[in-house]
Structure formats: C-alpha cells, structure tokens
Amino acid sequence: MSKLRSTISAQSRFLSTYDGAENLCLEEIYTENVLEIRTEAGLAEPLQKSPATLGLEELFSSRGRLNDDADTLLVVGEAGSGKSTLLQRLHLLWASGSDFQEFLFVFPFSCRQLQCVAKPLSVRTLLFEHCCWPDLGQQDVFQFLLDHPNRVLLTFDGFDEFRFRFSDRERHCSPTDPTSVQTLLCNLLQGNLLKNARKVLTSRPAAVSALLRKCLRLELCLKGFSEEGIELYLRKCHREPGVADRLVRLLKATSALHGLCHLPVVSWMVSRCHRELLWCGGGSPKTTTDLYLLILQHFLLHASPAGSVPCGLGSGLLRGRLPSLLRLGWLAVCGLGKCCYVFSAKQLQAAHVGPEDISLGFLVHARSVVPGGAAPLEFLHITFQCFFAALYLVLSADLSQSLLRQLFSCHGPRSSLLARLLPPMCVPRPERPDGGAAALLQEAEPHNLQITAAFLAGLLSREHRGLLAECQVSERALLQRQAGARACLSRSLHEHFHSIPAAVPGEAKSVHAMPGFVWLIRSLYEMQEERLAREAVRGLKVGHLKLTFCGVGPAECAALAFVLRHLQRPMALQLDHNSVGDVGVEQLLPCLNVCKALYLRDNNISDRGVCKLAEHAMHCQQLQKLALFNNKLTDGCAHSLARLLACKRNFLALRLGNNHITAAGAQVLAEGLRANASLQFLGLWGNKVGDEGAQALAEALGDHQSLRWLSLVGNNIGSRGAQALALMLEKNVALEELCLEENHLQDEGVCSLAKGLERNSSLKVLKLSNNYITYLGAEALLRALERNDTILEVWLRGNTFSPEEIERLGQRDTRLLL
C-alpha cells in the first residue's frame, strides 16, 4: 500500500497531460470542471430540475445512481474537456490521504497504453505488472484484493482510444487465467471480475454504446470550465501582476476566443500563448484552427535561436521547419489509422522522426505505469495529433486531389468516414510500403477523423492561403483543394437536410440533427467564408431544427450562428440539454433574426446571458417564443424580460421554469405583462414567487386578453396567492389552463378558487394536485362545477383523500381527476 501511494503520488503530482516542457504542480493549477449527472433524452418532465452538479469529492455518493448492483462509473466528455486531469486529481487526493480513503488500493490505467499490450493478461498481471508490483508477499496481497474488492478502485482513462468496442459476448470469470485485454476489461466493467470493486472509466461520448450503459452504476458528463472556471484557471497560471487581468479582459472582449476556452486544453493554450495574444497584436483567434496555428507558432519560436526570426508564422518560420512538421504529420496519420496514440522508438524510426523533430516539443513522454519502464512518446493531446495529421494532408503531395475533394462527404452515420467515402483512393502508394494516408485512415476512429477534417477545412480557408503558399504548395493545387472542400461541405449539408422525410401537410418540417451534423457545421465555420455558408442553406425549408444532447457549447453556437443566419425562412432552434452558457448565448445572437423560437433548457445560462438575449430579441421581428427553464436565472434578469414583454408586440411564449425567481422578480415581470397584449404561454413553475409574486401576476393578468396557459407549479403559493388568482379568474376571459400543483393552497385557497370558477367562462383545465386539499375543499369545487360548464378537468391527485372519498367524489363529477 505504501509503495502504491508513493508511486501514484509521484505520477500525479505534476500536470503533464498537455505539456512536458514545464512542471505545473497539480495542486496549484487544478480548477474544477462542470461535472453533471447525465440525464436521458426524453425524460425531462416539466417539474424535473436541471441535472445535478457534483464536486469531485462526491464522485462515489449515492446521487443519481442508475443501477445499485453495478460497479462502473463512467465520465464522458469531449476531447480536451479535462477527463484525464480529473482522474489525475482523484489519484493525487487518494495518494496524499486527503480524500477517497474508503479505498485501500487504487490502480490507475491508461487505455492508450493498454491498447499496445498484445500478450494475454490476467487480473493479477494487470494489477501488478502494469501498475505496481508488490515487493513482498505477492500472493497474500492478491488474495486480500480478492477477499476485499470493496476496498479497491480501478480507473481506466480514455476508453474511446481502444480499437475495440464494449462487448458482453465473451465471459471470463477467473482472476488468474490470462485472456485478451479486450475480454479482461469488458468483464471487469461488467463485474464478472473483481465484483464490488469500483471502476471509473472516462471516454468521449461517441465511444459509449447502449450495451455499455447497461453496466453503469452512474454516468457523469464533464462539460469543461464554467466562465468563472476559465478566469480562475488563468489567474492560477499567471500570478504575476497584470498578466491574468489583461488575459481575462481580452477574453471578455473577444467572445469567439472566450467560447473556445471552456475546453481546458484551449485555456491551457491561451495561457501558453499569452505573450503572442497580448503583445504581438496579431488579432485574436476566431476558430480552433487559428488557435492551433498560434500554438504552433509559439512552439516553433521557442525552438528557434533567440532573435533569429521575427514574431509570426510567416517570414520562413514554417518553411524552415517544414520537413520536421511533415514527419510529425506522417506519424500522426499513421497513429490515427492504427488507433495508436503512444509511439515506441521503433515506430518513431519508421516515421523518420528524430531528435530534432522531438525537440520542437509536440511529442512528450507518456506517463509510464510500470516503475522504471521506458516511457514511449505521445502527442501533447489527441487534438494535436489530429491537427498534425490535417497539416500533413494539406501540405504533402502524398494525398491525391480527388481524396481531398471527397473528404467531407457524409453518406452514412455508422461506417468509418474515409472508408465509406473513398474506395477508389484506398490504394497504397508504392513509395510507402506500409500504405499511403488514404489506406491508413480507412481504419481511423470517426471522431478523430472529424476533428482532423475540421482542422483541414480551417487550414484550407482563405485566411491561411498565404501561410500554405509559404510552404511551397502551388497556387493551382491550393485553389483546387479549397474549391473541392468548399463544394463538398456545402453539398453534404444539403444532403443532410434533404434526407429528412417531407413534412406532414400543415406542419413545419422538423429536422433532428443526425450524427456528423454539428461536425459539418463546425468544419464550415472553420473556413470562415460567408458565401459558402449562404450556399449551404440556400433554399432550405426547415421549420424546426433540433440539436438536443449534442454537446453544443459556445464554439458550436458560433458555428451555428455563422451558418443559420443566412436562412431565408424563419425556424425554431432547439438546443436543450447542452452547454451553451452565457458565452454561447452571445454567440447565437447573430442568427436570432431567423429564429421563430429558441429553446435553451438545461444550458447553465445566468442572468447575464438572458439580459443580452432579451435586449437583442426586442429587435428581432421573427422571434416569438423563448424557453429558458432549468437554468440559473434569478430576479436579476426580470427587468430585461419585462421590457421584452412590454415592447415586443408579437411575443407568444415565455417559459422560465425551474430557476430562482422570487416574488421580487415576479412583481417586475407583472409590470411587463400589464403592457403586453400578445403573450399566450407563461411558465414559471419551480421558482419561488410565493403569495406576493402570485398576487402581482394575478393583478396584471386580470384584464389580459391573450394568455391561454399559466404555470405556477411548485412556487410555495398559499391561500393569499390563491385568493388573488381567484379574483383574476373572475375577470379574465382568455385563460384556458391554470397549473398550480405542488403548492400549499389547502382548503382555504381552494375555496377561494372555487368562487372564482363560478364566474369564469374560459378556463378548461385547473391543476391542483399535491396541495394538501381535503374533502372540504373538494366539496367547494363540486359546487363551483355545478355552475360552470366550461371547465373540462380539475386535477386533484396526490391530495389527502381516503379511498372511499376518492370513489365518492369521482361518482359525483367525472371532471374531477383523482
């Protein structure tokens, strides 16, 4: 145990995930990411709150469990979201005795290194030979592990980097008999081996199958840094006076760059390139490609003799290092094609990568899990490997023109990207006995190819034409490649949209994003060509574009706005259950003019984002509906929303459920409602408006001529609020549905509402479930129903009726739903 703690402490103390050139103490630099319990699509009911957010120390709590009998906890996140660093922090907290002390043994594994293990393994071999070897009593230690599995934690980082996928077809239950890495890992995750030992797995979402989800105790989504997290991280990186302040101001002034920084890997890059960003004055990066070219410049300048080259990638800096960059690019292509992310000396030699190439700093030593073992090399991050692969494809003559023109085609959601696109090109070139780039990339993982293709689009943009010309790419070849990429991106988007079945007559055409759609949009954005974006959506007839659970963050919002703002017909844009945030809202503003409705449920949006949204929406004639429930809104956004209600004459729906709006906010909203004559749907469920807020809203709605649906579910409303709502019902002639479940109306409040119902002629549905109502209150409602023929349903479920009373009430009036 002592050896295991000291080994893991040594491996975890310094943050070496991105850069081996400097040692960053993890304790000093670590910044919490947004870690949410994953919710399934389609399960979010109106009363359901936003996904629970966990701190790292709550990782093994009982919250959000899917299956108490399962052992495996899964953390999913996009490339660069901080999954490896989160595990490293967990390991360090355990090794230092600070947390997770319920485990006596922690065994960390890297999937990209296990991928390289060819020989069969047993559980004992895996733990001892590939993590930490006990110096004495190996059999006793192993027997203790088998006898006390609940005191053991195994972590597997980067499941998406395995060539294989999870399978339950081959059962293996012996901890001492060897089997393949694939079979061993799959049986560990299922609990067939080391049952009751906790296993933590990290992966990108694309590699997680429904079969794997059956074996999960809990699934968490790592969403990267919040806005506060970005600033905190930069201040931890730059403690010298003024630098962090200037960087934070720069980010807040350049929303495109700010939007990229929610990925920790990008925040790290911004931190490393702070001198270029703050002092070189070359303009802030807009796209991911811009940023990776900036870090490329940073490393090349760092590797050049002082004063030998001026600032910038031009002036021969890139051309002077072109042979090294091509060798690194070929290594990256070979790795992607073989699902290999760590490279041995033999593999480096085969790609002709030498000490000079390694000295540039893009390859770093992989953390070895075997004490004293020789660590192979890996790229700084998987995104760097994809970037170098794209750079190779653009600059090298090894790739034919026709392959580049077809790279962005998107004919099917399942098969490998290049394999399904380029059958004529998949022939090894004679000068490469191990196969050319096209042949290699047939077997690459689709999510890595998508990252590579997006970089390729960015490198082929007009913005970087001069840079490629510096590398002696002929102008004719460059123009052909650019034209091919532009045409195929535009055609792929058209194919995607037109593959959707025709709309039902009388209804708007609804498009659900298919796999690859967000990637196509990102790739198009990387090219930064307005004409291309306009052509991509020309003539498109879409009434509703649905992008829920698609991992849409601020960077994707910028790309969506860049393309969708050119639509000629208004549409509804649904982005529920993503990571839009305030910065993403800001990025969406340019396309708000073409939105009839905008749905942003569960997107970590605060008052700042909504205030900007409301201010912009007042000038957008097409926008009629906003859904902002399950976010972080408070009374601070009420004034902006009230102005929107008062000034926008065609606004139809505002849904603000499950936020933090109190009576003060409701009173402000009521002022906007007094001047409004168009709103039909108002949702404030799951807030804290109380009696005072309900009273203010009721007074404002007494004479409202258009509101048809009002939800005040779960707002701590009592009898005083009910009295005000009853008076509103006596005067209002438009409201058709009033939802008041989960409050504290009791009999007194219901008796007041019953009096209002007697004089109401418009209400059809009244929902009063779970309000502590007794038979006395129900009697009052029955008397009101005798005088009201308009009301169709009164919901009374979950109140305090005996079975006999329920039967008796149901017989007296079938409109009571009990």
Side-chain angles (χ1 to χ4, degrees), residues 326-448:
L326 287 175
R327 287 191 289 269
L328 290 171
W330 176 247
L331 180 70
V333 169
C334 291
L336 292 180
K338 297 174 182 177
C339 298
C340 176
Y341 311 103
V342 293
F343 304 98
S344 64
K346 184 178 180 180
Q347 290 170 312
L348 295 172
Q349 186 179 7
H352 306 290
V353 173
E356 180 185 356
D357 310 322
I358 297 171
S359 69
L360 295 180
F362 298 107
L363 290 173
V364 295
H365 286 288
R367 282 177 294 166
S368 177
V369 295
V370 182
L377 296 181
E378 61 187 359
F379 281 92
L380 292 170
H381 190 263
I382 183 61
T383 54
F384 278 87
Q385 186 168 344
C386 295
F387 173 75
F388 272 96
L391 194 62
Y392 175 85
L393 295 179
V394 170
L395 297 179
S396 173
D398 186 59
L399 204 64
S400 74
Q401 188 67 34
S402 57
L403 189 150
L404 285 171
R405 286 198 301 267
Q406 297 179 66
L407 178 60
F408 298 98
S409 298
C410 191
H411 295 302
R414 297 300 301 170
S415 59
S416 174
L417 209 60
L418 287 176
R420 68 171 182 265
L421 304 177
L422 312 169
M425 301 307 305
C426 297
V427 180
R429 293 179 62 85
E431 65 270 26
R432 297 274 193 192
D434 52 345
L440 279 167
L441 292 178
Q442 286 183 73
E443 302 301 322
E445 290 293 341
H447 41 267
N448 289 334

Side-chain angles (χ1 to χ4, degrees), residues 461-523:
S461 67
R462 289 176 180 170
E463 176 75 19
H464 302 305
R465 180 180 296 175
L467 180 65
L468 298 184
E470 279 281 331
C471 298
Q472 301 174 332
V473 179
S474 74
E475 184 174 357
R476 180 183 177 187
L478 186 57
L479 290 174
Q480 286 177 339
R481 295 174 186 184
Q482 288 174 331
R486 283 195 297 266
C488 287
L489 271 173
S490 180
R491 183 168 60 248
S492 293
L493 275 172
H494 276 291
E495 288 177 1
H496 174 86
F497 284 126
H498 293 301
S499 67
I500 306 298
V504 176
E507 295 184 7
K509 184 173 182 178
S510 179
V511 174
H512 293 242
M514 302 299 287
F517 172 72
V518 175
W519 157 67
L520 284 172
I521 293 288
R522 280 292 300 268
S523 299

